[in-house]
Amino acid sequence: MIPIEMTSAYIFAVSRHRLLTDGDGCTTLVTFNGCPLRCKYCLNKVSWDPLKGRLYTPESLFEEVKIDQLYFLATRGGITFGGGEPLMQAEFIKEFRTLCGPQWRLVAETSLNVPLDNVKTVDPVLDGYIVDIKDLDPAIYKSYTGIDNALALSNLEWILQYGDSCRVTVRVPHIPNFNTDQDVAKSKERLKAMGVANIDEFNYIIR
Amino acid sequence: MAKGKQTCKILKEIRKQIAEENDIKLVIEECTYKGDCLGTCPKCEAEVRYLERELEKRQRMGKVAVVAGLSVGLLGASQVALAQQPDSLRMDTIVEEEVEVETPEFFGCIVETMPAFRGGEQKLFEFLGNNLVYPKEAKEAGIEGRVFVEFYIEKDGSVTDGKVLKGIGYGCDEEALRVIGLMPKWQPGKQRGKAVRVRYTMPINFKLSK
């Protein structure tokens, strides 16, 4: 039983030994429950329920994943936090960093659609962001995710302004039935103008 | 090859590299399991635990455990092509004794903010690539290998006290030290917001282009 006052979070999967799939090196993917978006083609709908999965504290997660510390250090890998929306668990990730130390690479796969305070909390302890920005057009974004993208964009601007832009990879998907090649090109153009150096264009696969 | 088997093969190579670099005897038996796997199994896990114990032993004896970044090249993540010059570099970090360490791990110690080469690792690669010259003597003799250098990043970021921990001779040791001495100031390491002196170990590969 985890006392309620401790930082804790529901996690629905801990996937080990991912090689160059979620960032550099050998990584363990940790996926949190809870997400503000309702993407039409979401691959992890199980994450929509914030109270499903297994309840972890930063300590119990660290105990479980440190088994791969040698691989993390040798390959400059570490933990990729996904979800769901990992930045909803900013305090958890911050506490996790104090346990794992500075040598593990911590990356968040995020929509950035969270309060700025969450970004400010987690930013100093993250080595990288993989941002799924969907589409920069507000109408397309809203029709696909169900919510506005203004917060995600202002958070991205904050990270680019106050952090090292090299840490940020922005993924720009072709979303069948929601955006066109021209929309994707427009998004990329705007992102470049914002100062995003690493853009990863890709196709959503509908299952 | 099935994905699990492929993962298993890569992880096995990483274990081999760690063992070789640290002079740990590790006999890896050929896996006879025919089906696909998760990329690891109790036997693989037992090898990792064995390596951890051996590294711990070496650390207790005051030896440097070479692990950090050792297998980056193996995954093809940061292959840095430096024609006729060191082809990659890896770092291991150890905090100097004066730093109070809260959570000692089984190798290396923890400093809250590690020292950083200004501009990041890529700039460090570039700096080394631009400055290292393959010694003529080593080139003529076909000498390749790793030179392990140790140095300190002072509280003001300056690089001091460079020395060779393990060399390969033929001018490579001197060349590695010469370039370490040329490095500009780093961003110093910090512990609880205060700059601290940090010891660094950096293996530099000398490899001749084919």
Side-chain angles (χ1 to χ4, degrees):
Chain A
M1 195 72 176
I2 294 169
I4 202 157
E5 65 273 17
M6 285 175 75
T7 305
S8 60
Y10 284 94
I11 287 170
F12 67 88
V14 175
S15 170
R16 295 170 65 197
H17 304 144
R18 297 167 72 88
L19 303 171
L20 300 174
T21 45
D22 315 295
D24 296 340
C26 175
T27 58
T28 291
L29 176 67
V30 173
T31 45
F32 290 105
N33 281 78
C35 186
L37 310 187
R38 290 294 178 265
C39 299
K40 295 289 188 292
Y41 305 138
C42 179
L43 287 174
N44 294 325
K45 283 185 179 155
V46 62
S47 72
W48 290 2
D49 185 340
L51 301 177
K52 268 200 171 163
R54 194 174 142 202
L55 193 59
Y56 282 85
T57 61
E59 289 80 7
S60 65
L61 179 67
F62 178 65
E63 282 305 310
E64 184 171 325
V65 297
K66 76 177 184 188
I67 191 169
D68 291 316
Q69 167 146 267
L70 267 188
Y71 294 133
F72 297 158
L73 295 184
T75 64
R76 291 205 186 288
I79 305 295
T80 298
F81 293 104
E85 174 49 65
L87 266 50
M88 287 170 79
Q89 308 299 340
E91 280 298 333
F92 187 106
I93 295 171
K94 189 179 160 191
E95 283 184 32
F96 185 86
R97 173 62 92 185
T98 65
L99 298 166
C100 76
Q103 290 184 303
W104 290 22
R105 188 174 158 77
L106 300 187
V107 173
E109 266 184 324
T110 172
S111 68
L112 288 182
N113 215 323
V114 295
L116 176 60
D117 277 350
N118 292 38
V119 180
K120 285 182 178 173
T121 299
V122 84
D123 186 75
V125 306
L126 283 183
D127 296 297
Y129 293 90
I130 300 170
V131 181
D132 189 351
I133 206 72
K134 318 295 180 194
D135 198 290
L136 266 68
D137 181 279
I140 296 172
Y141 189 97
K142 192 163 188 178
S143 68
Y144 178 66
T145 67
I147 64 169
D148 292 328
N149 65 349
L151 192 54
L153 291 178
S154 62
N155 283 336
L156 179 59
E157 269 167 4
W158 186 89
I159 293 168
L160 294 169
Q161 190 177 351
Y162 294 104
D164 179 359
S165 63
C166 294
R167 290 184 307 161
V168 182
T169 295
V170 178
R171 308 195 75 204
V172 185
H174 289 260
I175 316 171
N177 308 318
F178 285 90
N179 66 4
T180 63
D181 291 352
Q182 286 92 330
D183 294 325
V184 171
K186 266 190 217 163
S187 291
K188 284 172 66 182
E189 221 169 276
R190 271 189 65 192
L191 288 166
K192 277 180 197 161
M194 284 168 75
V196 178
N198 306 314
I199 297 177
D200 177 20
E201 182 180 344
F202 70 111
N203 294 308
Y204 270 167
I205 298 165
I206 309 172
R207 289 181 180 164
Chain B
M1 190 185 290
K3 199 178 170 208
K5 284 280 187 191
Q6 182 64 30
T7 300
C8 170
K9 198 178 158 198
I10 295 169
L11 296 179
K12 194 182 286 177
E13 282 305 313
I14 295 171
R15 297 197 295 278
K16 263 192 207 168
Q17 279 191 334
I18 294 170
E20 277 170 22
E21 289 293 343
N22 294 282
D23 292 324
I24 296 170
K25 196 178 169 194
L26 180 70
V27 181
I28 297 178
E29 287 175 37
E30 198 58 42
C31 178
T32 53
Y33 182 66
K34 295 288 178 214
D36 197 16
C37 68
L38 292 170
T40 191
C41 69
K43 212 167 186 178
C44 295
E45 296 289 336
E47 283 179 9
V48 181
R49 304 287 85 79
Y50 166 73
L51 286 175
E52 286 173 357
R53 285 194 302 275
E54 289 298 313
L55 288 168
E56 255 179 333
K57 262 192 225 168
R58 278 158 180 74
Q59 287 237 298
R60 279 200 299 271
M61 289 159 67
K63 287 187 183 173
V64 175
V66 183
V67 176
L70 191 63
S71 308
V72 166
L74 185 74
L75 290 185
S78 339
Q79 292 287 16
V80 180
L82 304 174
Q84 289 203 328
Q85 291 182 8
D87 65 348
S88 66
L89 122 170
R90 302 180 290 273
M91 284 164 275
D92 191 11
T93 52
I94 294 171
V95 183
E96 207 205 3
E97 296 71 25
E98 71 183 54
V99 178
E100 192 187 326
V101 175
E102 287 178 339
T103 323
E105 290 296 324
F106 49 79
F107 42 81
C109 298
I110 298 218
V111 60
E112 283 170 4
T113 307
M114 296 303 297
F117 191 86
R118 289 177 199 276
E121 205 170 71
Q122 192 57 40
K123 286 281 172 210
L124 177 55
F125 288 140
E126 281 171 27
F127 175 84
L128 293 171
N130 291 337
N131 288 283
L132 277 159
V133 178
Y134 216 108
K136 196 170 168 237
E137 198 188 346
K139 206 193 282 183
E140 283 171 2
I143 297 297
E144 295 183 335
R146 296 182 187 89
V147 177
F148 290 87
V149 287
E150 177 192 283
F151 52 89
Y152 287 83
I153 307 296
E154 300 290 343
K155 291 174 185 175
D156 67 353
S158 55
V159 179
T160 62
D161 295 342
K163 69 173 179 183
V164 172
L165 293 176
K166 191 173 159 191
I168 55 173
Y170 293 84
C172 296
D173 306 351
E174 292 79 4
E175 177 58 10
L177 271 187
R178 183 187 71 81
V179 175
I180 295 303
L182 293 177
M183 283 199 290
K185 278 189 178 183
W186 290 41
Q187 283 169 340
K190 284 184 181 172
Q191 190 84 337
R192 297 195 189 91
K194 213 175 133 196
V196 289
R197 189 179 193 233
V198 177
R199 192 169 80 197
Y200 242 85
T201 307
M202 181 186 292
I204 297 179
N205 275 8
F206 281 80
K207 190 171 174 150
L208 291 162
S209 61
K210 301 292 172 204

